[in-house]
Amino acid sequence: PSADSQKNMICESEMKNMLQLLRSISTAVSEIHDAGVNHNDLISDNIIVVQNNDNTSVKIIDFGSASPQTGIKEKNSGNSHDLIALGSIFYEIFTGRCPLQKRCSENSTSAEKSDKSVIFLPQNELISTLTARVPLTIAKLTLKLMNAEGSEHFFQSARDVDRELQSTVNSLKSILSTSDTRTCFGQLQFSSDTLYGRDLHLSKLLDVYRRIGTPVGSKMVLISGKSGVGKTALAENAKEILKKTSVHFVTGKFDQLQQAEPLSALKVAFAEYSKNIVKQGPDTIINTRKAIMEAINDDIGVLTNVFPCLNQILGEPATSPEKVDSMAEQPRFKIIFHLFVRAITASGQPIVLFFDDL
C-alpha cells in the first residue's frame, strides 16, 4: 500500500476497541437468535452502546420487524438477513460510510435502511474503501459477513462471527505487523519485473540486437513516447534478456541536474561497463586492457581523463597525454573514443548503450 493509504489505517488501540465493540454486538445478536427470534431490522440506529468505566455493553432495540423462528427455513433466512446487516454495521464502524447504493442518512426510515432489496455499492468500491482502513484479514471477515462476491465462505451464525472476532483480537499484533506487505483483496496485482502488452516492441529491440555486426545492422534505435508509458521499462526488460548473451548492455541517463557536466551519461555508462569487466575476473581484465592499449597506445591518458572509471581496467597512465590546442582537442577525443569502442567490441562482445531521457 501507498504511504497515503497507510496514514488512513486505523491504529492498533482503536482497532482493538472496535473489535471488542463488534464482539459485543455479535454476542447480542446471537442471544436474540438463541431466543428463537430474527430481528430483521438490524441497523446502527437500533444499537445502543453503554460505556461504564472500562466495560462496554450493547443493547439492541426496536423489535417491530422481528419474527419468530418457526422452522428451519425461517431460522436460516432470518439469520442470514441479520448477519448481512451485521456486516454492514461492521463496514460502517470501520469506514464511517454506509455500504448501500442508497446512502444512509438521519432522515432514512428503519425500513429503508434494512430493506432486503437494497443493493450494496460496487464491490471494488467496498473493497478499496475497507482495505484503506483495516488490514486484509479484517476486511475479509467483514466482506464475508456481507456475502460479498468472491468471499471464501459465509458465516452460519452470529456465534461463528464472535469466535472469529476473538481469534482476530488475539492475533491483532501479528495481523497489523504484516499488513504493510499484504496482497489487497480483489485488486489486480502486477509484478514489477514483468512487462505487459509490449511483446511486439520487445521483439523489435531484440531483432535489432541480432543484426549487430551484419551489413544491415542498425546503428541506433529510438524509443519514443510520452512520459510514464514505459520506455525505460522496455529497455530494462531487454537488458535482462540480453544478460544471458555475450553483450555488454550499459545504461547512461541524461540527468537534468548534470547538464553542465560534459558526457555525463557516457561516464555513467562506462562506469557500469568497467564494473562488469572487473566482475568477470583477471583474465577478462587483461584481455580487455591489451585490446585497448594496442588500439590507442600512448594516447590512453586522453581517454582516462574523461572516463576515470577505466583506470580499473587500464591502471594509471604512465605518461600524460600530449597537449594540443583547444581546436584540436575535440577531434582528437572523437578519434580515440572511436578506436576505444572498436577495441572493446572486436572480441565478439558487442556493446549496447542505452541512453535514458535523451
Side-chain angles (χ1 to χ4, degrees):
S2 67
D4 289 339
S5 67
Q6 285 296 303
K7 291 178 183 177
N8 294 328
M9 291 288 284
I10 300 170
C11 67
E12 181 179 351
S13 60
E14 187 179 357
M15 182 76 72
K16 189 171 184 178
N17 290 336
M18 285 182 174
L19 292 173
Q20 294 290 10
L21 173 61
L22 296 178
R23 281 201 67 202
S24 298
I25 296 172
S26 301
T27 300
V29 173
S30 66
E31 290 173 353
I32 293 172
H33 290 170
D34 290 346
V37 176
N38 297 321
H39 190 280
N40 297 325
D41 193 13
L42 197 59
I43 56 174
S44 54
D45 289 350
N46 289 337
I47 297 173
I48 297 177
V49 180
V50 180
Q51 187 77 39
N52 184 13
N53 296 326
D54 293 333
N55 297 321
T56 302
S57 61
V58 169
K59 298 183 183 298
I60 296 178
I61 62 173
D62 193 354
F63 285 78
S65 301
S67 62
Q69 298 174 352
T70 55
I72 298 296
K73 182 177 180 181
E74 289 80 5
K75 177 181 179 180
N76 290 341
S77 175
N79 279 5
S80 176
H81 178 58
D82 282 352
L83 292 179
I84 292 174
L86 188 61
S88 298
I89 292 170
F90 281 26
Y91 184 92
E92 279 192 71
I93 289 175
F94 288 135
T95 68
R97 301 182 183 183
C98 177
L100 305 178
Q101 290 275 20
K102 187 173 183 179
R103 298 289 181 182
C104 301
S105 68
E106 293 181 359
N107 297 324
S108 300
T109 64
S110 297
E112 287 175 333
K113 288 184 178 180
S114 61
D115 184 0
K116 295 180 184 180
S117 66
V118 172
I119 301 172
F120 286 124
L121 293 169
Q123 183 169 323
N124 61 338
E125 185 175 342
L126 292 175
I127 291 170
S128 61
T129 303
L130 194 56
T131 53
R133 297 284 289 158
V134 300
L136 181 61
T137 300
I138 298 173
K140 281 186 173 182
L141 186 156
T142 304
L143 293 168
K144 283 194 291 183
L145 259 179
M146 297 167 68
N147 280 17
E149 183 181 351
S151 297
E152 296 172 359
H153 61 82
F154 306 134
F155 292 100
Q156 299 300 314
S157 70
R159 293 207 178 275
D160 290 342
V161 178
D162 181 53
R163 281 191 288 269
E164 185 149 348
L165 283 171
Q166 178 61 59
S167 174
T168 302
V169 170
N170 293 340
S171 308
L172 188 57
K173 282 188 179 294
S174 174
I175 291 170
L176 291 174
S177 66
T178 58
S179 64
D180 287 350
T181 55
R182 71 188 189 273
T183 301
C184 292
F185 179 63
Q187 296 183 6
L188 292 175
Q189 301 296 312
F190 296 100
S191 172
S192 60
D193 57 355
T194 303
L195 200 64
Y196 297 90
R198 305 297 292 273
D199 290 349
L200 178 60
H201 299 149
L202 184 59
S203 176
K204 287 183 177 180
L205 284 181
L206 297 178
D207 185 55
V208 170
Y209 163 72
R210 295 186 190 99
R211 295 204 306 269
I212 291 177
T214 67
V216 293
S218 298
K219 302 297 183 183
M220 179 184 296
V221 177
L222 295 177
I223 305 174
S224 61
K226 294 182 179 179
S227 177
V229 298
K231 302 184 295 295
T232 301
L234 177 63
E236 291 296 333
N237 204 267
K239 180 177 182 177
E240 289 302 311
I241 295 173
L242 294 177
K243 276 184 178 179
K244 302 172 184 177
T245 68
S246 60
V247 69
H248 287 293
F249 193 119
V250 291
T251 303
K253 183 179 178 69
F254 284 92
D255 194 326
Q256 291 184 353
L257 299 178
Q258 296 182 353
Q259 287 182 353
E261 183 180 351
L263 306 175
S264 60
L266 271 174
K267 289 179 181 179
V268 173
F270 283 109
E272 182 180 357
Y273 170 78
S274 300
K275 187 183 296 184
N276 290 342
I277 293 296
V278 171
K279 279 184 179 179
Q280 292 181 28
D283 289 345
T284 303
I285 295 174
I286 292 170
N287 291 335
T288 305
R289 181 190 301 136
K290 181 181 179 181
I292 297 172
M293 296 298 289
E294 288 178 351
I296 301 177
N297 298 322
D298 296 335
D299 290 323
I300 199 70
V302 174
L303 195 64
T304 56
N305 282 348
V306 179
F307 304 118
C309 57
L310 294 176
N311 287 329
Q312 299 177 68
I313 302 171
L314 302 172
E316 294 288 341
T319 58
S320 298
E322 181 183 348
K323 291 186 178 182
V324 296
D325 60 64
S326 57
M327 295 293 292
E329 278 186 356
Q330 187 172 353
R332 181 178 69 170
F333 174 76
K334 286 183 177 180
I335 293 171
I336 291 174
F337 182 73
H338 181 73
L339 293 173
F340 163 67
V341 172
R342 289 188 61 181
I344 61 176
T345 58
S347 58
Q349 286 191 316
I351 289 182
V352 175
L353 285 170
F354 169 53
F355 292 127
D356 204 0
D357 289 343
L358 187 60

